[in-house]
Amino acid sequence: SKGSVKDWEMNHKDFAAVYHGKEPSSWRNVAVSTAEMLGNISEIPFGDIHDVKRRLLQVIAHTDCLATGRINGDISGEDWFELIKASSDEKLKQLPAILHKYASENDLLIELNLGNKKDYSTTQQDKFVPYLASNFRKEISQLLSNEEYGGVGEIELKLAMLAVHSEYIHVLVAKRLHEGENQFGVLKAPEPKSINRMQVKVETDYKDERNPVACLRDTVRRSIECENIELEQAFLDSLREDKDAVWVPLRQKNTVLDASSSVKQCLVNYCFKPKTSDLESISFADMLNDSQFENCCEQAKERNNISDDTLEAALKLFGSLSAKPIDMIVEFQLYLKHFLEKRRMCHIWYKVSRAESCKYLTLDCAKY
């Protein structure tokens, strides 16, 4: 682990073969090498981390192929899954005590001030996004009863609508909060959450909820890396001064305060309420008539493999909501620089550890 990536691959030739699209002599060797690299990733020079993680994720994406028999190997998909999961779980056990000690010694155990007077902590997307509300299910059912949409499912349609809607909100937020360095830190604007990832969350974390899709409060995200807590607070305070939108603070989840947490961050959810130049709420009709919206549809369709029928159904339902505002919950991920560097180094452990099965691990890694 202390040499270059290429040096490491020379000693793990089966792993290297799979990464380069070739058949390994032993899939068991691939699994053992994968677990070993996962265990040693914190010792790899920081500059090599991105390259190593990409290689690991591309190889791990073969897990479900072994489990379903699409690949015949000398190790089952389940055994592969358990081996690499055990490696990640073990490393994650060691992190919380190290990180919490740093937070305590540096006076970081402080709640951020959102300035909200009302408790919105349990608020979900269906309070603001009308097509996710329970009273809209009848309209969805009526549309899907048409023969032309017979192959489209309700959850599939809701996720497609959320993907397209999120793509447009992503563009509007970008106009207000520019990606890159600012007076508070470094702001990043990742693409909206993919339907694959939404599907995993709906079928695992939220499977027992009354309205699983409405629990997705982070389809549009921004992250900001700050040097200290004072700059994190100043960034949140600046959102109140946005004259082209209203940001309603809903809740914060500050794991810096949690001694058992292996991820030190503050997640803050706001309801983003964009305004027109006349300070009126931007409606679904405004969205549909915006010249940028067509590109948003294309982006969402291409990134998520949305079928033509599903997209057509989504647009019809957006049209039926023409007067409703396009408000949506947006998540801000606030990181202190020290913790973010640790997270970048170890994030792959979380990705492997949180997977409930070969299928979900493969779905989570497939995009790499």
Side-chain angles (χ1 to χ4, degrees):
S1 64
K2 298 184 186 298
S4 70
V5 177
K6 289 184 178 179
D7 289 341
W8 193 90
E9 284 190 348
M10 286 295 293
N11 297 316
H12 297 79
K13 292 183 178 179
D14 282 321
F15 178 94
V18 174
Y19 173 70
H20 292 292
K22 300 176 182 177
E23 185 72 20
S25 62
S26 167
W27 280 96
R28 182 172 293 278
N29 286 347
V30 178
V32 171
S33 295
T34 302
E36 181 181 325
M37 186 181 271
L38 278 169
N40 290 334
I41 201 166
S42 60
E43 300 174 34
I44 293 170
F46 194 74
D48 290 337
I49 288 295
H50 180 73
D51 190 27
V52 170
K53 285 169 64 176
R54 187 183 72 250
R55 290 165 188 257
L56 275 169
L57 290 166
Q58 288 188 13
V59 171
I60 290 170
H62 291 78
T63 305
D64 196 46
C65 294
L66 284 163
T68 57
R70 282 174 284 169
I71 293 176
N72 293 316
D74 54 350
I75 184 173
S76 70
E78 289 74 14
D79 287 346
W80 166 305
F81 178 69
E82 291 303 324
L83 184 64
I84 62 175
K85 194 172 173 65
S87 177
S88 295
D89 289 348
E90 181 59 33
K91 299 303 291 188
L92 284 175
K93 285 179 184 177
Q94 302 167 14
L95 268 181
I98 297 170
L99 298 179
H100 198 71
K101 180 182 178 184
Y102 179 90
S104 179
E105 290 175 349
N106 290 274
D107 299 320
L108 303 178
L109 305 179
I110 302 170
E111 281 273 12
L112 295 173
N113 178 19
L114 300 188
N116 52 332
K117 298 177 182 178
K118 185 176 177 181
D119 181 15
Y120 290 102
S121 58
T122 60
T123 299
Q124 297 180 344
Q125 286 283 21
D126 52 351
K127 179 176 176 61
F128 307 107
V129 179
Y131 55 83
L132 296 182
S134 56
N135 61 6
F136 196 72
R137 289 190 68 182
K138 183 178 179 181
E139 191 151 352
I140 292 177
S141 297
Q142 286 178 342
L143 181 69
L144 296 183
S145 66
N146 295 334
E147 187 175 333
E148 59 188 309
Y149 303 123
V152 181
E154 179 183 334
I155 296 295
E156 176 189 359
L157 178 54
K158 285 182 176 180
L159 292 179
M161 294 179 75
L162 198 53
V164 173
H165 186 180
S166 297
E167 203 75 48
Y168 187 69
I169 293 292
H170 174 72
V171 169
L172 295 186
V173 173
K175 289 181 177 179
R176 290 154 178 78
L177 300 172
H178 300 296
E179 188 170 15
E181 194 168 346
N182 57 39
Q183 68 265 42
F184 310 110
V186 179
L187 185 77
K188 292 193 175 179
E191 292 178 336
K193 190 182 287 291
S194 70
I195 287 181
N196 269 352
R197 184 69 192 127
M198 291 187 212
Q199 187 80 43
V200 170
K201 299 284 282 186
V202 165
E203 293 180 1
T204 55
D205 294 4
Y206 309 135
K207 63 183 178 183
D208 297 323
E209 297 290 335
R210 174 187 58 83
N211 190 349
V213 180
C215 298
L216 295 165
R217 291 179 278 202
D218 60 347
T219 58
V220 178
R221 299 156 290 168
R222 292 296 184 271
S223 69
I224 186 164
E225 175 186 347
C226 302
E227 287 283 349
N228 53 54
I229 285 183
E230 291 75 19
L231 287 172
E232 287 185 329
Q233 185 64 60
F235 170 73
L236 295 182
D237 292 344
S238 73
L239 296 178
R240 300 176 199 167
E241 301 169 11
D242 188 341
K243 293 182 171 50
D244 296 319
V246 174
W247 296 89
V248 180
L250 303 179
R251 66 163 191 162
Q252 70 171 300
K253 181 181 179 182
N254 194 340
T255 61
V256 176
L257 310 178
D258 183 358
S260 65
S261 175
S262 56
V263 181
K264 297 299 184 183
Q265 61 186 354
C266 184
L267 304 179
V268 183
N269 291 116
Y270 284 84
C271 177
F272 174 60
K273 296 173 170 285
K275 303 294 182 184
T276 66
S277 56
D278 298 326
L279 298 182
E280 298 290 333
S281 294
I282 295 179
S283 67
F284 280 94
D286 295 325
M287 178 180 79
L288 292 170
N289 291 324
D290 189 335
S291 59
Q292 299 176 96
F293 182 65
E294 184 177 351
N295 185 56
C296 291
C297 288
E298 291 174 0
Q299 290 278 355
K301 181 180 179 182
E302 183 178 340
R303 289 202 310 111
N304 296 285
N305 295 317
I306 300 172
S307 71
D308 291 339
D309 288 348
T310 304
L311 182 58
E312 183 181 320
L315 295 177
K316 281 194 174 181
L317 290 175
F318 284 146
S320 71
L321 297 166
S322 59
K324 300 282 187 181
I326 61 166
D327 304 349
M328 176 180 276
I329 297 177
V330 173
E331 182 172 276
F332 288 95
Q333 303 165 344
L334 288 84
Y335 298 98
L336 294 172
K337 186 175 181 180
H338 173 82
F339 295 134
L340 186 57
E341 288 181 353
K342 289 288 185 184
R343 179 177 172 82
R344 285 173 181 154
M345 185 174 289
C346 306
H347 180 63
I348 193 169
W349 295 339
Y350 307 114
K351 187 177 284 289
V352 173
S353 187
R354 73 190 178 193
E356 292 191 356
S357 69
C358 299
K359 172 188 172 183
Y360 292 123
L361 179 59
T362 297
L363 278 174
D364 210 9
C365 297
K367 66 180 179 181
Y368 301 94

